[in-house]
Amino acid sequence: MSDTVGFLYPGHAAEDDYPRAQRLLGDRWRLAVEHTDGEDLHTVEALLDLGGAHRLAAGAARLARYEPAAVVWACTSGSFVFGTDGATRQVKELAAVAGVPATSTSFAFVDAARALGVRRVAVAASYPEPVARLFGEFLADAELRVVGLDSHGITTAAEVGRLTDEAVRELVVAHDRPDAEAILVPDTAMRTVSLVPELERHLGKPVLTANQVTIWAGLRLIGATPRAARLGRLFEADPGDAGAGGGEARWA
């Protein structure tokens, strides 16, 4: 089996999180990134088009040159806007065109929370409120209790990608909730990979971010069990903790 995971990443806002994670993981696995196109706008209509089957199929065709053993749609909003059933169809169709197991960032968040035994979560979202609310509904469908959901009102991925490390820290810390067992930070346009351990130390709980969970879920799809403390508590968890309903349910 190939040791390569393929990631379909929309645009170019925070793509450098992937080579950064690659350096922390070492050379045992390869993280291959190809880009998809579409309008850069955090509206439901634009996101439904961004995650459309034709766009993912075109990206999967470009990824084929890396011969990945699994493919991940590295976009949170471009998956959860379809709802649970639609997002499930999305990854099944992606798996069919890619010819390998597939998942998406939205499901990666659910699987990561389960792997850590987390049930009550706070969400620190960069999106406008209508989009952030849909993520909350997606999580609730997966039987995660959303005890706090805050939106930052940013309308494009390009703007999110320009946030400084300090701005990201402030966004995450400001939206913690005392009864949340973990904080979820959606949007793969936000650079977070290098900040997770620091945020977890400060808040005293797991912090799950979009690019972090995307990489973790992709590695799980190829049967990898990486350990990398500098990528957060998720990468220290026992891979068997996810149990039934974890990433395996998204294979097709």
Side-chain angles (χ1 to χ4, degrees):
M1 175 185 264
S2 167
D3 289 328
T4 298
V5 182
F7 298 92
L8 293 179
Y9 186 88
H12 297 269
E15 62 190 297
D16 48 343
D17 260 0
Y18 291 82
R20 184 173 293 115
Q22 179 77 78
R23 290 192 293 272
L24 295 175
L25 288 165
D27 298 329
R28 182 174 176 185
W29 304 285
R30 182 185 189 190
L31 311 181
V33 178
E34 279 290 346
H35 300 276
T36 62
D37 57 8
E39 184 179 11
D40 180 13
L41 191 62
H42 286 155
T43 66
V44 172
E45 182 180 13
L47 292 167
L48 288 171
D49 177 71
L50 185 70
H54 64 296
R55 297 196 186 279
L56 300 193
R62 292 191 293 273
L63 267 177
R65 65 193 176 101
Y66 298 106
E67 299 183 345
V71 172
V72 187
W73 170 221
C75 184
T76 326
S77 55
S79 47
F80 68 70
V81 292
F82 289 85
T84 300
D85 291 344
T88 300
R89 287 193 298 273
Q90 183 187 60
V91 295
K92 285 184 176 180
E93 290 170 0
L94 176 57
V97 298
V100 294
T103 191
S104 67
T105 304
S106 293
F107 286 122
F109 269 111
V110 172
D111 295 338
R114 289 174 175 166
L116 292 172
V118 165
R119 289 293 178 267
R120 298 187 309 278
V121 301
V123 175
S126 57
Y127 317 120
E129 191 275 336
V131 175
R133 186 174 63 247
L134 292 178
F135 185 48
E137 293 173 2
F138 184 92
L139 297 173
D141 282 348
E143 301 182 345
L144 294 175
R145 182 183 173 196
V146 180
V147 298
L149 191 152
D150 294 285
S151 57
H152 210 57
I154 301 178
T155 56
T156 68
E159 293 174 79
V160 175
R162 289 194 291 269
L163 291 175
T164 64
D165 285 353
E166 185 57 33
V168 173
R169 291 186 192 98
E170 291 176 359
L171 184 152
V172 176
V173 171
H175 299 317
D176 185 22
R177 294 291 184 276
D179 53 343
E181 297 172 306
I183 302 178
L184 276 54
V185 189
D187 203 342
T188 55
M190 190 184 298
R191 290 180 179 84
T192 56
V193 160
S194 63
L195 301 178
V196 173
E198 171 191 342
L199 288 167
E200 290 184 334
R201 286 192 300 271
H202 180 78
L203 296 169
K205 63 184 67 175
V207 174
L208 300 176
T209 73
N211 288 323
Q212 173 213 34
V213 301
T214 297
I215 293 163
W216 173 84
L219 290 168
R220 284 191 66 222
L221 280 179
I222 66 170
T225 55
R227 291 288 190 271
R230 287 183 293 173
L231 287 171
R233 296 188 194 181
L234 179 62
F235 280 79
E236 299 174 337
D238 183 339
D241 289 346
E248 294 82 357
R250 253 56 80 184
W251 291 22

